[in-house]
C-alpha cells in the first residue's frame, strides 16, 4: 500500500506534468501569485510610507514621546550605534523592521512544518498582518503594529513560496521561471502600492495610507482561500509523521544544507544596492532631486512605483531572454545567473556617483531621470538574483525541510536590511559619491563571491542528474 507521503508526491508530480493551464504552469501558481500580489501590495504600501513617516513626523521631538516603548528601543539602538538624529533613528528602525521581516520566516517555516501545516499558517499570517496595518493608524501603537506585521510576514512569506515549489516535481525545469512569474506578481503590487498607499499617506494623511494597506491584505486572504483546491497537498506534520515524510539526510544533503547556509553573507552583499532604494535613496532624493514635473510635485513614494514598473519590465525581459537562450544553448545554473545579476546590479549605485559628484561640485538639484537610470540598471540585475535564489533554495533543500530552508534563505535579507539601515546613516557623514561607490563595490564583490562558490562547490548544489554526471 502506498504511504501518504508517496501519495502526496505522486499527486504533485502528476499535477506538475499535466497541468499547464496558467501560462504553461499549474493553475495553483496563478492563485498563489495573485494572493502574493495583494500581500505585497499591503507590505510595500506600508513600507513606502514608513521611513518618511518616521523621519518627517513620528520621530520628531514633538511626537516621538507618543510612541509606547520607544524610549527603550531608542536606548537599545543608540547603545550600539551612539546618538542618532531623527533621520538616522528612522533609517535604523526601518532597517531593523525590514530585516526582521526576513528573519521571522524561519519561525513560520517551523510552525508550518511541525504543527499547523502551510495553509493554516499562511491564513494566520494574513490575519496578523491585517491587524498590524490597522494598528499603524494609532501613533502610540507603532511597536505592537510592527510586531504583528513581523509575525504575520513570518507565517506567510516562506510558506507561500514553499507552496509554489511544491507544485513541481523535483526535476521540472519550469521551477525557476515559476518563481520569476511569482515575483512578477510582486512587481505589479509594488507599482500600485506606492501610488495608492503613498498618495493617500503623503497627500491625505499617514493613517489613510496604512489603512489602505490593511484592506489589501484582507483581499489577499480572500484570494488565497478561494484558490485552495488548486494548491499542493499538505505534507505530513508532527514528530512521528515528519520522520516518515523526511528520510535521514545523507552526506550530500548535509553538504547542501551547510553550503546554503554558508553563502548567506554573500547573498547579503548582493542586495544592498537594491534595498537602499527603499531606505537611503528616498531620503537622499528629498534633499538633492528636483521632484517637480510640469508644475506637479511628485510624491517621493512614487519613485518606488517607478522602480516597480521598470522591475516588471525587466523581469519579463529576463524570462523571455532565458527562454530564448535555453532554446539555443545550455541554460546556466542558478548560481551563475545570480553572479551575472550582481555584476549588472552593481552598475546602478555606480551610476549615481555621476550626479553625486555634480552636487559636490556645486551643482543644482539633479534630474528625476537619475531615479529611472538607477532603477533600470538595478532591476536588470536583480531579476536574476532574488527569484533565482528562491528557486535554488527550493530545489536544493532536502525533502521535509523546504519551509525551513526557504526561511533560512530569507536570513540574508534580515542581515542585509539591518546592514542597509546602518549604511543609510552614513548619508549624513559621507559624500554621496563615496556612499554610492561603496554600494557598487559591495554588490560587485557578491558577484565575485558567487563565482568562487560555483568554481569550488558547484557540484554540491547541482541538480541530482548533473551531480551524478562524470
Amino acid at each position: 500500500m502506498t504511504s501518504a507521503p508517496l501519495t502526496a508526491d505522486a499527486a504533485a508530480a502528476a499535477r506538475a506534468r499535466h497541468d499547464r493551464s496558467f501560462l504553461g504552469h499549474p493553475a495553483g501558481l496563478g492563485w498563489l501569485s495573485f494572493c502574493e500580489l495583494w500581500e505585497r501590495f499591503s507590505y510595500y504600501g506600508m513600507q513606502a510610507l514608513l521611513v518618511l513617516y518616521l523621519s518627517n513626523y513620528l520621530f520628531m521631538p514633538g511626537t516621538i514621546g507618543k510612541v509606547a516603548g520607544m524610549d527603550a528601543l531608542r536606548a537599545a539602538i543608540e547603545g550600539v550605534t551612539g546618538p542618532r538624529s531623527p533621520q538616522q533613528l528612522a533609517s535604523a528602525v526601518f532597517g531593523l523592521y525590514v530585516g526582521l521581516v526576513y528573519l521571522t520566516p524561519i519561525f513560520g517555516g517551523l510552525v508550518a512544518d511541525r504543527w499547523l501545516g502551510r495553509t493554516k499558517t499562511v491564513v494566520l499570517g494574513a490575519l496578523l498582518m491585517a491587524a498590524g496595518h490597522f494598528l499603524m493608524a494609532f501613533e502610540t501603537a507603532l511597536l505592537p503594529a510592527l510586531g504583528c506585521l513581523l509575525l504575520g510576514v513570518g507565517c506567510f512569506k516562506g510558506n507561500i513560496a514553499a507552496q509554489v515549489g511544491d507544485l513541481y516535481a523535483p526535476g521540472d525545469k519550469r521551477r525557476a521561471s515559476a518563481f520569476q512569474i511569482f515575483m512578477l506578481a510582486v512587481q505589479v503590487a509594488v507599482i500600485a502600492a506606492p501610488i495608492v498607499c503613498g498618495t493617500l499617506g503623503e497627500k491625505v494623511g499617514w493613517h489613510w495610507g496604512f489603512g489602505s494597506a490593511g484592506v489589501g491584505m484582507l483581499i489577499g486572504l480572500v484570494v488565497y482561500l478561494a484558490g485552495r483546491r488548486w494548491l499542493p497537498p499538505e505534507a505530513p506534520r508532527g514528530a512521528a509523521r515528519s520522520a516518515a515524510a523526511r528520510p535521514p539526510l545523507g552526506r550530500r544533503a548535509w553538504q547542501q544544507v551547510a553550503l546554503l547556509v554558508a553563502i548567506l553573507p554573500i547573498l547579503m552583499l548582493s542586495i544592498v544596492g537594491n534595498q537602499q532604494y527603499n531606505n537611503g535613496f528616498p531620503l537622499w532624493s528629498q534633499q538633492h532631486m528636483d521632484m517637480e514635473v510640469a508644475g506637479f510635485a511628485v510624491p517621493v513614494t512614487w519613485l518606488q512605483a517607478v522602480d516597480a514598473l521598470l522591475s516588471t519590465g525587466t523581469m519579463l525581459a529576463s524570462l523571455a531572454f532565458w527562454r530564448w537562450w535555453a532554446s539555443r544553448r545550455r541554460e546556466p545554473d542558478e548560481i551563475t545567473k545570480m553572479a551575472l545579476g550582481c555584476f549588472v546590479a552593481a552598475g546602478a549605485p555606480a551610476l549615481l556617483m555621476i550626479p553625486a559628484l555634480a552636487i559636490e561640485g556645486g551643482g543644482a538639484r539633479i534630474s528625476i531621470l537619475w531615479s529611472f537610470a538607477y532603477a533600470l540598471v538595478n532591476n536588470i540585475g536583480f531579476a536574476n538574483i532574488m527569484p533565482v535564489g528562491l528557486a535554488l533554495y527550493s530545489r536544493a533543500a532536502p525533502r521535509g525541510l523546504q519551509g525551513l530552508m526557504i526561511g533560512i534563505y530569507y536570513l540574508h535579507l534580515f542581515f542585509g536590511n539591518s546592514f542597509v539601515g546602518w549604511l543609510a546613516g552614513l548619508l549624513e557623514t559621507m559624500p554621496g559619491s563615496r556612499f554610492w561607490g561603496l554600494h557598487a563595490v559591495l554588490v560587485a564583490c557578491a558577484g565575485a563571491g558567487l563565482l568562487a562558490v560555483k568554481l569550488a562547490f558547484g557540484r554540491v548544489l547541482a541538480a541530482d542528474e548533473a551531480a551524478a554526471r562524470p
Side-chain angles (χ1 to χ4, degrees):
M1 182 175 178
T2 305
S3 65
L6 186 58
T7 301
D9 281 351
R15 188 189 305 270
R17 284 195 300 270
H18 303 299
D19 184 359
R20 296 177 178 270
S21 57
F22 178 71
L23 303 177
H25 291 265
L29 178 63
W31 287 98
L32 291 171
S33 297
F34 195 45
C35 173
E36 179 74 354
L37 184 154
W38 282 107
E39 184 270 335
R40 291 289 90 182
F41 171 89
S42 73
Y43 173 77
Y44 283 107
M46 182 268 195
Q47 178 179 280
L49 291 169
L50 185 57
V51 72
L52 298 171
Y53 171 63
L54 298 181
S55 61
N56 294 343
Y57 173 69
L58 193 60
F59 284 0
M60 298 304 289
T63 51
I64 193 169
K66 298 179 181 179
V67 181
M70 191 62 217
D71 289 343
L73 178 60
R74 183 171 194 168
I77 292 172
E78 293 184 342
V80 175
T81 64
R84 300 277 90 181
S85 68
Q87 181 263 306
Q88 290 175 324
L89 183 63
S91 287
V93 170
F94 181 85
L96 282 173
Y97 165 71
V98 177
L100 286 168
V101 158
Y102 299 106
L103 178 63
T104 53
I106 294 180
F107 161 78
L110 287 171
V111 168
D113 288 344
R114 298 292 184 181
W115 298 295
L116 295 182
R118 287 181 184 144
T119 300
K120 291 181 180 178
T121 308
V122 167
V123 170
L124 175 63
L127 292 172
L128 283 168
M129 290 177 70
H133 289 306
F134 292 126
L135 281 173
M136 286 293 296
F138 305 96
E139 294 163 355
T140 188
L142 172 69
L143 299 186
L146 295 181
C148 285
L149 288 165
L150 289 171
L151 290 175
V153 174
C155 290
F156 189 99
K157 194 170 182 63
N159 288 304
I160 198 169
Q163 286 185 313
V164 172
D166 287 344
L167 291 169
Y168 300 89
D172 196 323
K173 298 294 186 184
R174 294 176 297 165
R175 184 185 297 261
S177 64
F179 276 102
Q180 288 185 310
I181 292 170
F182 186 67
M183 293 296 291
L184 198 57
V186 174
Q187 304 313 317
V188 174
V190 187
I191 294 169
I195 295 173
V196 176
C197 303
T199 303
L200 286 172
E202 287 195 77
K203 300 290 187 182
V204 181
W206 297 111
H207 307 316
W208 284 86
F210 294 130
S212 63
V215 172
M217 188 64 253
L218 291 179
I219 296 174
L221 175 58
V222 171
V223 170
Y224 182 79
L225 294 175
R228 180 67 190 97
R229 59 178 289 197
W230 287 278
L231 303 187
E234 288 283 356
R237 301 182 303 279
R241 289 179 294 171
S242 65
R246 186 177 64 247
L249 298 185
R251 181 171 177 269
R252 182 163 181 259
W254 279 114
Q255 289 176 334
Q256 289 173 324
V257 169
L259 188 54
L260 289 173
V261 173
I263 64 175
L264 290 176
I266 300 175
L267 299 183
M268 179 193 83
L269 295 181
S270 74
I271 66 164
V272 294
N274 184 78
Q275 300 304 107
Q276 201 62 268
Y277 197 92
N278 301 316
N279 193 330
F281 185 73
L283 300 172
W284 188 74
S285 300
Q286 277 190 144
Q287 297 176 356
H288 302 296
M289 192 171 287
D290 182 1
M291 300 299 294
E292 280 208 10
V293 177
F296 175 71
V298 177
V300 177
T301 51
W302 284 23
L303 295 181
Q304 294 181 40
V306 170
D307 175 56
L309 183 63
L310 291 171
S311 181
T312 302
T314 56
M315 192 75 72
L316 288 169
S318 178
L319 280 165
F321 173 79
W322 289 120
R323 283 188 181 183
W324 170 83
W325 184 275
S327 68
R328 290 163 174 78
R329 299 174 177 82
R330 182 178 178 82
E331 191 171 350
D333 62 16
E334 297 100 336
I335 290 185
T336 303
K337 283 185 180 180
M338 293 168 71
L340 293 172
C342 287
F343 291 130
V344 174
L351 268 178
L352 288 184
M353 294 175 66
I354 300 172
L357 286 168
I359 293 167
E360 291 158 23
R365 285 180 173 263
I366 64 173
S367 169
I368 198 171
L369 293 177
W370 285 107
S371 180
F372 286 80
Y374 184 168
L376 177 62
V377 176
N378 172 72
N379 284 308
I380 291 172
F382 202 67
N384 293 286
I385 300 175
M386 180 70 177
V388 178
L390 269 173
L392 171 65
Y393 277 67
S394 170
R395 175 186 60 76
R399 178 181 166 182
L401 293 180
Q402 291 96 331
L404 176 61
M405 290 308 299
I406 287 180
I408 287 175
Y409 169 71
Y410 287 127
L411 270 179
H412 84 278
L413 291 161
F414 162 66
F415 292 114
N417 280 287
S418 300
F419 184 46
V420 162
W422 175 81
L423 284 172
L426 297 178
L427 276 171
E428 291 193 349
T429 60
M430 180 182 287
S433 58
R434 288 179 57 197
F435 178 83
W436 296 115
L438 172 64
H439 286 70
V441 170
L442 292 174
V443 178
C445 285
L450 286 169
L451 283 184
V453 168
K454 163 67 177 175
L455 292 173
F457 305 106
R459 187 168 294 249
V460 174
L461 293 180
D464 289 340
E465 63 271 18
R469 189 182 302 118

